[in-house]
Structure formats: structure tokens, C-alpha cells
């Protein structure tokens, strides 16, 4: 089998890239190791920046998103028993975020791919990529019917943090940057209407808590937990008790409880790959970088990479212009490092650290939170980064 662009992974990065290429007349094949039901039901992120909404609309995947997505103009920072609203849109040139689950984005993109009849294979596990320094690299993959080869002009490694593409890069030719955090997140999906109109980011002595949502009927919560925690250590009653404690306010705001339909633990890490192009192998999304989830940037970064890569490959095929592919890494690293810095800042703003250094950080953290609620300049910096700085004008 042969195609122009072989895409490994049917997450947001791979699926969006495939659709943007399709609209420009560039052929691709998407290979995904999991089955379709698994990919459609995997619960991940849920906050979309305006540029992400724009990219999905440009791809033709905006219809349900514009209908069902929840548009939010602010967020709440909760600490010391009080809630403080940051009017994000007012501070960031009118831009708003849209709350819409990543699994819905993925479902819309799968449906779109199907509707145009373009190749997308589930249960296809890539086992090797070879010849990335040649003009005709090859992907080897395994399905229920045996082993296959896909020859292509380019390989897009959109296979997430634990995929095969980054691992295929010659050792020594990959500069990486990493920071680990001494905490993890327990994520919970509950069948109950949200108890707040906007997202609540809570800093509490017992650790961070986030009240988010997926729809008017479904709430999403996160709790800071110890790394290595198992989701099974957290029965329903323990989860609700901890959420009630960490989200409590002096004016006694209610937290409605409902059936917990999903719970999972995610580690937290910052990671950047210094070079996203290796000959004819191009990395995008989580394959190239990871952010801690506090800033809600992972999905938005994956979409931004896919957009830049689609434009670069289109310039190569339609105009014979190698420039955008040559500058692919540099173009992406600009938005990646902005998001990295913001995500790590939001993480340290809100999480609780144990130990002596923790006591100092604790006091500084409270002062920083109070400053954010008092200073328009400080709140504006948060707001601009939260909605994405892609459209900022130079000062
Ligand atoms: N062969 C085929 N597919 C693979 C392989 C392989 N060897 N290894 C991994 N994959 C698939 C995974 O099963 C997954 O569906 O690649 C896909 C990668 O998708 P994501 O992990 O969703 O990554 P990406 O598209 O970059 O989106 C990043 O996902 O993890 C969240 O917070 C993150 O929101 C961000 C988004
Ligand atoms: C989510 O709803 O999954 C979510 C929201 C905000 C974040 C992170 C995750 O900062």
C-alpha cells in the first residue's frame, strides 16, 4: 500500500491533520492501534481555545461543537473559603473558551473521515518506522489479518507520548526538556448537573481541586492526589467528601452529587522535544510534548501542531515550497513553550506541596492568588494565556 502521508494515531492531532490534508487534496492513511469504541469513549481534556474552535470549523468538524459546546467567559479561583471570578473574555479582547470534551472532538473527526470515505484503520498497531532519511519511508503495522507495510512520502507521528515514532528517532539526535511534578490528578466524571456556571480552580490545604463540566447534565472533577495512587483507592464516598471539603466556601455553596461513571489517575509532567522533524518523520501533539493538565493546553497544542503541519505539507505538495516544512519545529515551538510556561505556572499556583519548601511556597502561593484577584495586569496575563496567545498583537 502507498499514500502521500502516513499518519500514526487517531487522536485529535492525527485525525485533524488527516482532514485538513484531505481538504487540500493531499492523501493520507490513518493507523490506530486501539479499536474504534475505545477511542470514542476515552475521556480526556475538555477546554477549547478560540483558535482550536476555528481550526475544527476550518476542517468542517465544527457543526456539533458550535451547537453543543458551552461557551464560558470567565473562570473562578477559589481559595480561603471564597470564590474570585476572573473575567477572562473582558480581559482578553472578548475571546472565550468552549467546554467540549476531547472525546466529542475525536468522534466528530472520525465521523467526518468516514463521510468522505478516506482511509482510517482501527486495530492497526504500528510496530516500526523506517527509511525516514530517504524519499520513501515505510510504516510496518500489525492487524488481525497479519503484518502490513505502508509506503509514504512523509510519516506523521501523532501517536501520543508512549507511541513508536519518537522512539524511532536516532538516539543522540533528540534534545528533550522535562520537568516532573510530585503529584497526580484523580479525574472523575459524574452524571450530575454542574454545581457552578463556570470552571472552578480551587486551592486548598488538602490539595488542588477542579470543578469542570461536559454538558448541562454531566460534571467533571479533578483532585490532586499522590503519584502512584490507584483509582480504586477512591470509592465514591471518599471522592465526594474530598470534593466537598476542597471546594467548600464560607457562604456554603452547594455541591450536588451524582453517579460516578468514570474515574482515572493521570501523572503530571512537562516535556518538550526540541526537534519535531527528523527527515521525513514529523512529530505532532503528545508525541512531541506533554503539559501538566492544569492550564488545559494539551488538546489545544495538538490542534495547533496539526494545523501548522497541514499547512506545511500543503505548501510542499501544492507549491513545491519546502520552507514551511523546514520551519515546522520553530513555528510550533513558539506556541509550545508559551503553553509550557503557562501550564507549569498554573500548576504551581494551585497545587499543594509537602515539606519545608512547601511552607514557603504555600505563603507565596496565597500572595500570588490574592494579587491575581486584585491586579488587573496580573489577571490579564492569566486570561490571555488561558484563551491562547496565538492572536496577540505585539506590544
Ligand atoms: N500504532 C498505532 N497507533 C498508536 C500507536 C501505535 N504504535 N501508539 C499510540 N497510538 C495511538 C493511541 O492509541 C492514540 O489513540 O495514537 C493516538 C494518540 O492520540 P492522543 O494520545 O490523543 O494524542 P494527540 O492526538 O497528540 O492528542 C493530545 O490527548 O492526552 C491528551 O492531554 C492530551 O489533550 C491532549 C491530546
Ligand atoms: C477538563 O474539563 O477536563 C479540564 C478543564 C480545565 C482544565 C483541565 C481539564 O484546566
Amino acid at each position: 500500500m502507498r499514500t502521500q502521508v502516513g499518519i500514526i494515531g487517531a487522536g485529535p492531532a492525527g485525525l485533524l491533520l488527516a482532514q485538513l490534508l484531505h481538504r487540500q487534496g493531499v492523501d493520507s492513511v490513518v493507523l490506530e492501534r486501539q479499536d474504534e469504541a475505545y477511542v470514542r469513549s476515552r475521556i480526556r481534556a475538555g477546554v477549547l481555545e478560540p483558535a482550536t474552535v476555528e481550526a475544527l470549523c476550518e476542517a468542517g468538524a465544527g457543526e456539533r461543537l458550535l451547537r453543543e459546546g458551552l461557551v464560558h467567559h470567565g473562570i473562578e479561583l477559589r481559595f480561603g473559603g471564597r470564590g474570585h471570578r476572573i473575567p477572562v473574555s473582558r480581559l482578553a479582547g472578548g475571546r472565550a473558551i468552549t467546554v467540549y470534551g476531547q472525546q466529542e472532538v475525536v468522534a466528530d473527526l472520525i465521523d467526518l473521515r468516514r463521510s468522505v470515505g478516506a482511509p482510517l484503520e482501527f486495530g492497526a498497531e504500528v510496530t516500526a518506522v523506517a527509511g525516514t532519511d530517504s524519499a520513501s519511508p515505510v510504516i510496518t503495522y500489525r492487524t488481525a489479518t497479519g503484518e502490513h507495510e505502508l509506503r509514504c512520502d512523509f510519516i506523521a507521528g501523532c501517536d501520543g507520548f508512549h507511541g513508536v515514532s519518537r522512539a524511532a528517532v536516532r538516539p543522540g539526535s533528540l534534545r528533550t526538556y522535562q520537568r516532573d511534578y510530585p503529584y497526580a490528578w484523580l479525574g472523575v466524571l459524574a452524571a450530575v448537573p454542574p454545581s457552578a456556571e463556570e470552571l472552578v480552580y480551587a486551592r486548598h490545604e488538602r490539595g488542588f481541586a477542579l470543578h469542570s463540566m461536559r454538558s448541562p447534565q454531566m460534571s467533571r472533577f479533578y483532585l490532586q492526589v499522590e503519584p502512584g495512587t490507584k483509582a480504586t483507592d477512591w470509592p465514591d464516598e471518599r471522592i465526594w467528601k474530598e470534593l466537598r471539603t476542597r471546594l467548600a466556601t464560607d457562604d456554603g455553596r452547594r455541591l450536588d452529587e451524582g453517579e460516578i461513571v468514570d474515574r482515572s489517575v493521570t501523572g503530571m509532567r512537562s516535556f518538550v522535544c526540541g526537534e519535531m522533524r527528523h527527515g521525513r518523520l514529523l512529530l505532532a501533539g503528545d508525541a512531541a510534548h506533554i503539559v501538566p493538565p492544569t492550564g488545559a493546553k494539551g488538546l489545544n497544542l495538538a490542534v495547533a501542531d496539526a494545523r501548522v503541519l497541514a499547512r506545511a505539507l500543503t505548501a510542499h505538495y501544492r507549491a513545491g515550497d519546502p520552507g514551511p516544512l523546514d520551519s515546522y519545529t520553530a513555528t510550533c515551538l513558539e506556541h509550545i513553550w508559551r503553553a509550557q510556561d503557562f501550564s507549569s505556572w498554573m500548576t504551581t499556583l494551585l497545587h499543594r506541596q509537602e515539606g519545608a519548601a512547601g511552607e514557603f511556597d504555600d505563603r507565596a502561593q496565597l500572595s500570588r492568588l490574592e494579587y491575581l484577584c486584585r491586579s488587573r495586569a496580573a489577571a490579564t496575563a492569566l486570561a490571555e494565556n488561558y484563551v491562547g496567545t496565538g492572536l496577540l498583537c505585539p506590544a
Side-chain angles (χ1 to χ4, degrees), residues 134-157:
S134 76
S136 187
V138 183
I139 298 176
T140 307
Y141 65 101
R142 208 172 21 223
T143 65
T145 60
E147 194 158 274
H148 314 268
E149 278 188 359
L150 174 64
R151 289 188 178 275
C152 19
D153 300 338
F154 294 95
I155 297 175

PDB file of all heavy atoms in Angstrom, residues 134-157:
ATOM      1  N   SER A 134      15.131   8.751   3.902  1.00  0.00           N
ATOM      2  CA  SER A 134      15.025   8.533   2.449  1.00  0.00           C
ATOM      3  C   SER A 134      13.769   9.222   1.929  1.00  0.00           C
ATOM      4  O   SER A 134      12.986   9.773   2.698  1.00  0.00           O
ATOM      5  CB  SER A 134      14.932   7.029   2.163  1.00  0.00           C
ATOM      6  OG  SER A 134      13.628   6.571   2.466  1.00  0.00           O
ATOM      7  N   ALA A 135      13.567   9.168   0.593  1.00  0.00           N
ATOM      8  CA  ALA A 135      12.384   9.819   0.000  1.00  0.00           C
ATOM      9  C   ALA A 135      11.142   8.951   0.136  1.00  0.00           C
ATOM     10  O   ALA A 135      10.051   9.373  -0.208  1.00  0.00           O
ATOM     11  CB  ALA A 135      12.659  10.127  -1.474  1.00  0.00           C
ATOM     12  N   SER A 136      11.321   7.718   0.615  1.00  0.00           N
ATOM     13  CA  SER A 136      10.163   6.828   0.677  1.00  0.00           C
ATOM     14  C   SER A 136      10.151   6.012   1.971  1.00  0.00           C
ATOM     15  O   SER A 136      10.443   4.814   1.977  1.00  0.00           O
ATOM     16  CB  SER A 136      10.210   5.904  -0.548  1.00  0.00           C
ATOM     17  OG  SER A 136       9.041   5.149  -0.614  1.00  0.00           O
ATOM     18  N   PRO A 137       9.831   6.654   3.066  1.00  0.00           N
ATOM     19  CA  PRO A 137       9.806   5.922   4.342  1.00  0.00           C
ATOM     20  C   PRO A 137       8.687   4.873   4.383  1.00  0.00           C
ATOM     21  O   PRO A 137       7.741   4.944   3.603  1.00  0.00           O
ATOM     22  CB  PRO A 137       9.560   7.016   5.377  1.00  0.00           C
ATOM     23  CG  PRO A 137       9.008   8.169   4.644  1.00  0.00           C
ATOM     24  CD  PRO A 137       9.464   8.071   3.225  1.00  0.00           C
ATOM     25  N   VAL A 138       8.847   3.915   5.294  1.00  0.00           N
ATOM     26  CA  VAL A 138       7.897   2.797   5.364  1.00  0.00           C
ATOM     27  C   VAL A 138       7.402   2.616   6.809  1.00  0.00           C
ATOM     28  O   VAL A 138       8.192   2.632   7.754  1.00  0.00           O
ATOM     29  CB  VAL A 138       8.586   1.473   4.935  1.00  0.00           C
ATOM     30  CG1 VAL A 138       7.572   0.319   4.927  1.00  0.00           C
ATOM     31  CG2 VAL A 138       9.240   1.618   3.584  1.00  0.00           C
ATOM     32  N   ILE A 139       6.095   2.413   6.934  1.00  0.00           N
ATOM     33  CA  ILE A 139       5.494   2.095   8.234  1.00  0.00           C
ATOM     34  C   ILE A 139       5.134   0.620   8.223  1.00  0.00           C
ATOM     35  O   ILE A 139       4.476   0.145   7.290  1.00  0.00           O
ATOM     36  CB  ILE A 139       4.194   2.909   8.459  1.00  0.00           C
ATOM     37  CG1 ILE A 139       4.488   4.409   8.476  1.00  0.00           C
ATOM     38  CG2 ILE A 139       3.504   2.484   9.748  1.00  0.00           C
ATOM     39  CD1 ILE A 139       3.229   5.293   8.586  1.00  0.00           C
ATOM     40  N   THR A 140       5.563  -0.117   9.241  1.00  0.00           N
ATOM     41  CA  THR A 140       5.140  -1.522   9.373  1.00  0.00           C
ATOM     42  C   THR A 140       4.092  -1.584  10.464  1.00  0.00           C
ATOM     43  O   THR A 140       4.286  -0.999  11.542  1.00  0.00           O
ATOM     44  CB  THR A 140       6.341  -2.403   9.763  1.00  0.00           C
ATOM     45  OG1 THR A 140       7.386  -2.167   8.818  1.00  0.00           O
ATOM     46  CG2 THR A 140       5.980  -3.884   9.744  1.00  0.00           C
ATOM     47  N   TYR A 141       2.973  -2.248  10.173  1.00  0.00           N
ATOM     48  CA  TYR A 141       1.922  -2.347  11.192  1.00  0.00           C
ATOM     49  C   TYR A 141       1.249  -3.707  11.159  1.00  0.00           C
ATOM     50  O   TYR A 141       1.329  -4.437  10.169  1.00  0.00           O
ATOM     51  CB  TYR A 141       0.901  -1.223  11.044  1.00  0.00           C
ATOM     52  CG  TYR A 141       0.088  -1.233   9.779  1.00  0.00           C
ATOM     53  CD1 TYR A 141      -1.223  -1.718   9.764  1.00  0.00           C
ATOM     54  CD2 TYR A 141       0.610  -0.755   8.584  1.00  0.00           C
ATOM     55  CE1 TYR A 141      -1.987  -1.717   8.606  1.00  0.00           C
ATOM     56  CE2 TYR A 141      -0.149  -0.754   7.412  1.00  0.00           C
ATOM     57  CZ  TYR A 141      -1.439  -1.237   7.434  1.00  0.00           C
ATOM     58  OH  TYR A 141      -2.181  -1.242   6.279  1.00  0.00           O
ATOM     59  N   ARG A 142       0.608  -4.008  12.315  1.00  0.00           N
ATOM     60  CA  ARG A 142       0.007  -5.318  12.506  1.00  0.00           C
ATOM     61  C   ARG A 142      -1.496  -5.163  12.715  1.00  0.00           C
ATOM     62  O   ARG A 142      -1.933  -4.304  13.475  1.00  0.00           O
ATOM     63  CB  ARG A 142       0.619  -5.941  13.761  1.00  0.00           C
ATOM     64  CG  ARG A 142       0.649  -7.451  13.738  1.00  0.00           C
ATOM     65  CD  ARG A 142       1.427  -8.060  14.899  1.00  0.00           C
ATOM     66  NE  ARG A 142       1.596  -7.190  16.052  1.00  0.00           N
ATOM     67  CZ  ARG A 142       2.731  -7.065  16.722  1.00  0.00           C
ATOM     68  NH1 ARG A 142       3.802  -7.735  16.369  1.00  0.00           N
ATOM     69  NH2 ARG A 142       2.806  -6.277  17.772  1.00  0.00           N
ATOM     70  N   THR A 143      -2.268  -5.981  12.013  1.00  0.00           N
ATOM     71  CA  THR A 143      -3.724  -6.002  12.238  1.00  0.00           C
ATOM     72  C   THR A 143      -4.124  -7.452  12.521  1.00  0.00           C
ATOM     73  O   THR A 143      -3.268  -8.345  12.530  1.00  0.00           O
ATOM     74  CB  THR A 143      -4.499  -5.531  10.989  1.00  0.00           C
ATOM     75  OG1 THR A 143      -4.282  -6.481   9.940  1.00  0.00           O
ATOM     76  CG2 THR A 143      -4.068  -4.158  10.528  1.00  0.00           C
ATOM     77  N   ALA A 144      -5.421  -7.681  12.681  1.00  0.00           N
ATOM     78  CA  ALA A 144      -5.916  -9.039  12.946  1.00  0.00           C
ATOM     79  C   ALA A 144      -5.567  -9.969  11.789  1.00  0.00           C
ATOM     80  O   ALA A 144      -5.463 -11.188  11.970  1.00  0.00           O
ATOM     81  CB  ALA A 144      -7.418  -8.999  13.165  1.00  0.00           C
ATOM     82  N   THR A 145      -5.344  -9.400  10.591  1.00  0.00           N
ATOM     83  CA  THR A 145      -5.063 -10.263   9.428  1.00  0.00           C
ATOM     84  C   THR A 145      -3.571 -10.459   9.182  1.00  0.00           C
ATOM     85  O   THR A 145      -3.188 -11.162   8.251  1.00  0.00           O
ATOM     86  CB  THR A 145      -5.702  -9.691   8.140  1.00  0.00           C
ATOM     87  OG1 THR A 145      -5.135  -8.389   7.909  1.00  0.00           O
ATOM     88  CG2 THR A 145      -7.217  -9.577   8.284  1.00  0.00           C
ATOM     89  N   GLY A 146      -2.709  -9.842   9.973  1.00  0.00           N
ATOM     90  CA  GLY A 146      -1.274 -10.067   9.815  1.00  0.00           C
ATOM     91  C   GLY A 146      -0.485  -8.769   9.742  1.00  0.00           C
ATOM     92  O   GLY A 146      -0.965  -7.715  10.148  1.00  0.00           O
ATOM     93  N   GLU A 147       0.757  -8.868   9.203  1.00  0.00           N
ATOM     94  CA  GLU A 147       1.647  -7.707   9.162  1.00  0.00           C
ATOM     95  C   GLU A 147       1.578  -7.038   7.787  1.00  0.00           C
ATOM     96  O   GLU A 147       1.491  -7.732   6.775  1.00  0.00           O
ATOM     97  CB  GLU A 147       3.071  -8.176   9.460  1.00  0.00           C
ATOM     98  CG  GLU A 147       3.989  -7.021   9.780  1.00  0.00           C
ATOM     99  CD  GLU A 147       5.217  -7.482  10.570  1.00  0.00           C
ATOM    100  OE1 GLU A 147       5.118  -7.558  11.805  1.00  0.00           O
ATOM    101  OE2 GLU A 147       6.239  -7.767   9.921  1.00  0.00           O
ATOM    102  N   HIS A 148       1.618  -5.702   7.774  1.00  0.00           N
ATOM    103  CA  HIS A 148       1.486  -4.959   6.521  1.00  0.00           C
ATOM    104  C   HIS A 148       2.537  -3.850   6.459  1.00  0.00           C
ATOM    105  O   HIS A 148       3.054  -3.444   7.488  1.00  0.00           O
ATOM    106  CB  HIS A 148       0.103  -4.316   6.405  1.00  0.00           C
ATOM    107  CG  HIS A 148      -1.021  -5.237   6.771  1.00  0.00           C
ATOM    108  ND1 HIS A 148      -1.672  -6.008   5.841  1.00  0.00           N
ATOM    109  CD2 HIS A 148      -1.581  -5.514   7.965  1.00  0.00           C
ATOM    110  CE1 HIS A 148      -2.608  -6.723   6.459  1.00  0.00           C
ATOM    111  NE2 HIS A 148      -2.562  -6.446   7.746  1.00  0.00           N
ATOM    112  N   GLU A 149       2.746  -3.345   5.229  1.00  0.00           N
ATOM    113  CA  GLU A 149       3.649  -2.200   5.054  1.00  0.00           C
ATOM    114  C   GLU A 149       2.907  -1.068   4.362  1.00  0.00           C
ATOM    115  O   GLU A 149       2.128  -1.312   3.436  1.00  0.00           O
ATOM    116  CB  GLU A 149       4.847  -2.605   4.197  1.00  0.00           C
ATOM    117  CG  GLU A 149       5.927  -3.299   4.999  1.00  0.00           C
ATOM    118  CD  GLU A 149       7.199  -3.524   4.186  1.00  0.00           C
ATOM    119  OE1 GLU A 149       7.235  -3.163   2.988  1.00  0.00           O
ATOM    120  OE2 GLU A 149       8.137  -4.053   4.775  1.00  0.00           O
ATOM    121  N   LEU A 150       3.169   0.136   4.818  1.00  0.00           N
ATOM    122  CA  LEU A 150       2.602   1.317   4.173  1.00  0.00           C
ATOM    123  C   LEU A 150       3.772   2.205   3.747  1.00  0.00           C
ATOM    124  O   LEU A 150       4.531   2.678   4.591  1.00  0.00           O
ATOM    125  CB  LEU A 150       1.685   2.066   5.163  1.00  0.00           C
ATOM    126  CG  LEU A 150       1.118   3.416   4.697  1.00  0.00           C
ATOM    127  CD1 LEU A 150       0.192   3.244   3.491  1.00  0.00           C
ATOM    128  CD2 LEU A 150       0.362   4.107   5.843  1.00  0.00           C
ATOM    129  N   ARG A 151       3.926   2.385   2.417  1.00  0.00           N
ATOM    130  CA  ARG A 151       4.979   3.291   1.914  1.00  0.00           C
ATOM    131  C   ARG A 151       4.388   4.682   1.778  1.00  0.00           C
ATOM    132  O   ARG A 151       3.249   4.814   1.344  1.00  0.00           O
ATOM    133  CB  ARG A 151       5.464   2.819   0.533  1.00  0.00           C
ATOM    134  CG  ARG A 151       6.259   1.575   0.633  1.00  0.00           C
ATOM    135  CD  ARG A 151       6.943   1.098  -0.617  1.00  0.00           C
ATOM    136  NE  ARG A 151       7.683  -0.084  -0.223  1.00  0.00           N
ATOM    137  CZ  ARG A 151       8.901  -0.059   0.313  1.00  0.00           C
ATOM    138  NH1 ARG A 151       9.551   1.085   0.437  1.00  0.00           N
ATOM    139  NH2 ARG A 151       9.489  -1.175   0.703  1.00  0.00           N
ATOM    140  N   CYS A 152       5.168   5.687   2.146  1.00  0.00           N
ATOM    141  CA  CYS A 152       4.628   7.046   2.049  1.00  0.00           C
ATOM    142  C   CYS A 152       5.732   8.033   1.685  1.00  0.00           C
ATOM    143  O   CYS A 152       6.910   7.667   1.640  1.00  0.00           O
ATOM    144  CB  CYS A 152       3.956   7.456   3.353  1.00  0.00           C
ATOM    145  SG  CYS A 152       4.383   6.524   4.806  1.00  0.00           S
ATOM    146  N   ASP A 153       5.319   9.288   1.458  1.00  0.00           N
ATOM    147  CA  ASP A 153       6.310  10.359   1.243  1.00  0.00           C
ATOM    148  C   ASP A 153       6.752  10.903   2.607  1.00  0.00           C
ATOM    149  O   ASP A 153       7.910  11.255   2.794  1.00  0.00           O
ATOM    150  CB  ASP A 153       5.692  11.522   0.461  1.00  0.00           C
ATOM    151  CG  ASP A 153       5.173  11.100  -0.906  1.00  0.00           C
ATOM    152  OD1 ASP A 153       5.635  10.065  -1.431  1.00  0.00           O
ATOM    153  OD2 ASP A 153       4.284  11.807  -1.433  1.00  0.00           O
ATOM    154  N   PHE A 154       5.783  11.001   3.509  1.00  0.00           N
ATOM    155  CA  PHE A 154       6.054  11.525   4.858  1.00  0.00           C
ATOM    156  C   PHE A 154       5.330  10.666   5.886  1.00  0.00           C
ATOM    157  O   PHE A 154       4.271  10.104   5.585  1.00  0.00           O
ATOM    158  CB  PHE A 154       5.534  12.971   5.005  1.00  0.00           C
ATOM    159  CG  PHE A 154       6.262  13.962   4.141  1.00  0.00           C
ATOM    160  CD1 PHE A 154       5.755  14.302   2.895  1.00  0.00           C
ATOM    161  CD2 PHE A 154       7.445  14.553   4.577  1.00  0.00           C
ATOM    162  CE1 PHE A 154       6.419  15.221   2.085  1.00  0.00           C
ATOM    163  CE2 PHE A 154       8.117  15.464   3.775  1.00  0.00           C
ATOM    164  CZ  PHE A 154       7.604  15.802   2.525  1.00  0.00           C
ATOM    165  N   ILE A 155       5.902  10.616   7.087  1.00  0.00           N
ATOM    166  CA  ILE A 155       5.215   9.950   8.197  1.00  0.00           C
ATOM    167  C   ILE A 155       4.903  11.020   9.247  1.00  0.00           C
ATOM    168  O   ILE A 155       5.794  11.785   9.652  1.00  0.00           O
ATOM    169  CB  ILE A 155       6.092   8.855   8.839  1.00  0.00           C
ATOM    170  CG1 ILE A 155       6.399   7.754   7.818  1.00  0.00           C
ATOM    171  CG2 ILE A 155       5.411   8.270  10.076  1.00  0.00           C
ATOM    172  CD1 ILE A 155       7.358   6.685   8.309  1.00  0.00           C
ATOM    173  N   ALA A 156       3.634  11.077   9.662  1.00  0.00           N
ATOM    174  CA  ALA A 156       3.266  11.986  10.751  1.00  0.00           C
ATOM    175  C   ALA A 156       3.112  11.152  12.011  1.00  0.00           C
ATOM    176  O   ALA A 156       2.230  10.298  12.103  1.00  0.00           O
ATOM    177  CB  ALA A 156       1.977  12.729  10.415  1.00  0.00           C
ATOM    178  N   GLY A 157       3.975  11.375  12.981  1.00  0.00           N
ATOM    179  CA  GLY A 157       3.932  10.652  14.259  1.00  0.00           C
ATOM    180  C   GLY A 157       2.985  11.392  15.200  1.00  0.00           C
ATOM    181  O   GLY A 157       3.378  12.337  15.877  1.00  0.00           O
TER     182      GLY A 157
END
